[in-house]
Amino acid sequence: MRALQILAGPEALTRIRAEGWQPDLFSHLGAAAGGAKWIMLAGLDKLLFGGWLARRSTPLIAVGASIGAWRLACAAQRDPLAALNRFTRAYVDEQFYQRGDGRIEVSREAQRILAALLGETGADEIPQHPWLRLNIVAARGLAGIDGSGSRREKLALARAAFANTRSRQALGRHLARTVIHAGDTPVALQDDGFATHVLRLTADNVAAALTATAAIPGIIDGIASFPGAPAGYHLDGGLIDYHMDLPLAEPAGLMLLPHFSDRITTGWLDQFLPWRRPRHLARTVVLAPTAELVASLPARRIPNRKDFMRYAGRDAERVAHWHAALAASEAMAGDYADWLAAGAPATRIAPLR
């Protein structure tokens, strides 16, 4: 059974066939939102962040939202494997809730996990990484999206969801994009209907940026005021950029996207719109689990944040399911390593649709 599938957009596949598979082929690294689904990528992250990508000779522009940005924050530390291990332990083995827990408790747990991820030195190391340029994407609420949890905000969120059924551009009247970036310049994006404001990532705002990008509305508290950004409540970046279907401008290299699925959804709200298709995948390469690997997991699916409700009162069963996914992620890493050892033949790569 193969554990890993490798999928490439048409431009990416042409370049790989011409130039071969090597780290400097990629100018961008993407990391999707998706809550507990990230567990399926833990083993592959260790191989990529801890070794293979470090062989590159040029800077790498890393772009992530929500939990994806947290994964990249591990990659951007001096010892990415230690950071990933701290993150995995805090998220998988130490995250528990009691019946009746809500926004206060979940927000508190998120801060505990973030502190473990950063450790004692992560906030200083991330903005100064020698070759990985982290770009953290957050959404800034407009038109009444203010983090209050009030009836007014719920109506504002409903209006945003309705606007998104018309077009992504219409959603841009309800949400704006904030990119908090390491290095001298942020990721370059073409105009896609969302006002985009950029801020420099510093040791002083790393924690706030990572808090903002993971702030699921009504579940985790966001950032009410972000120094240097226009006024507005900052929340989950996945609302705009869910699976990194990004309108990338220069540089014109490829984007590597280790992903928990072979399906790419542009914004979080787009998952409910079967007619909304991704538009910017020509230069993207996806590394994802195979259907056979997913079918081998407990309940034949990867973890997700609904597991906290699904396994309520049965935490040991949930943790066992999540550890099975961690083991499967190691199988993905092993499959990738075997493919590299065989010369990374392009015949293994399938078209990304």
Side-chain angles (χ1 to χ4, degrees):
M1 179 184 71
R2 279 186 171 169
L4 179 73
Q5 53 180 324
I6 307 166
L7 309 166
E11 291 184 32
L13 191 54
T14 297
R15 285 199 57 182
I16 293 166
R17 286 170 175 164
E19 302 175 34
W21 183 269
Q22 36 87 17
D24 281 315
L25 193 64
F26 299 97
S27 57
H28 296 77
L29 172 66
K37 297 171 185 176
W38 79 271
I39 296 169
M40 201 67 193
L41 299 172
L44 192 58
D45 282 352
K46 290 179 182 178
L47 188 155
L48 294 172
F49 302 163
W52 189 74
L53 286 171
R55 301 173 190 169
R56 59 187 301 108
S57 60
T58 56
L60 179 65
I61 302 167
V63 190
S66 199
I67 207 73
W70 289 33
R71 291 169 48 224
L72 294 178
C74 294
Q77 295 184 48
R78 185 174 295 116
D79 188 341
L81 295 182
L84 283 166
N85 286 334
R86 292 195 306 270
F87 179 35
T88 302
R89 183 170 58 252
Y91 194 100
V92 175
D93 295 322
E94 300 172 356
Q95 185 177 193
F96 299 98
Y97 299 99
Q98 302 296 320
R99 193 175 299 277
D101 283 353
R103 182 170 177 167
I104 292 173
E105 292 78 15
V106 177
S107 298
R108 185 184 302 130
E109 272 294 276
Q111 289 302 307
R112 180 193 62 80
I113 296 167
L114 179 57
L117 182 161
L118 292 173
E120 295 182 359
T121 59
D124 293 315
E125 295 168 2
I126 290 167
Q128 305 298 326
H129 196 275
W131 53 265
L132 193 145
R133 308 288 188 260
L134 177 58
N135 288 254
I136 300 170
V137 179
R140 178 167 56 90
L142 308 172
I145 300 175
D146 59 9
S148 65
S150 65
R151 181 175 180 274
R152 178 176 175 271
E153 188 194 32
K154 291 175 182 176
L155 288 172
L157 288 165
R159 286 193 293 269
F162 180 74
N164 187 62
T165 64
R166 299 199 301 274
S167 69
R168 292 266 295 168
Q169 289 74 17
L171 180 63
R173 293 192 285 273
H174 299 262
L175 294 170
R177 182 190 284 119
T178 297
V179 177
I180 308 98
H181 67 94
D184 293 333
T185 57
V187 59
L189 300 175
Q190 302 170 30
D191 182 12
D192 64 348
F194 292 91
T196 299
H197 187 84
V198 299
L199 296 172
R200 187 70 177 260
L201 186 68
T202 69
D204 292 333
N205 67 16
V206 165
L210 291 171
T211 295
T213 191
I216 304 168
I219 296 176
I220 298 176
D221 291 332
I223 299 295
S225 177
F226 213 113
Y233 182 76
H234 282 76
L235 68 165
D236 198 321
L239 289 168
I240 297 175
D241 299 303
Y242 190 36
H243 290 166
M244 300 299 108
D245 173 31
L246 297 172
L248 296 175
E250 298 297 325
L254 307 184
M255 182 170 75
L256 181 64
L257 181 63
H259 194 37
F260 42 77
S261 171
D262 57 6
R263 179 183 177 187
I264 309 297
T265 303
T266 305
W268 187 85
L269 292 165
D270 295 328
Q271 65 186 303
F272 309 109
L273 308 179
W275 63 87
R276 183 73 48 83
R277 304 294 298 171
R279 299 175 55 196
H280 307 291
L281 301 182
R283 292 190 278 137
T284 296
V285 178
V286 171
L287 306 177
T290 61
E292 293 80 8
L293 184 67
V294 173
S296 73
L297 294 173
R300 302 174 66 85
R301 58 170 181 78
I302 69 174
N304 61 58
R305 62 184 177 86
K306 292 182 180 179
D307 286 348
F308 291 111
M309 295 177 289
R310 187 177 288 114
Y311 292 110
R314 298 179 289 131
D315 284 322
E317 189 176 347
R318 172 180 58 80
V319 172
H321 181 175
W322 287 11
H323 271 274
L326 287 175
S329 79
E330 296 291 347
M332 291 172 63
D335 196 349
Y336 182 76
D338 290 343
W339 180 63
L340 291 180
T347 52
R348 170 81 182 267
I349 303 172
L352 175 61
R353 305 187 187 281

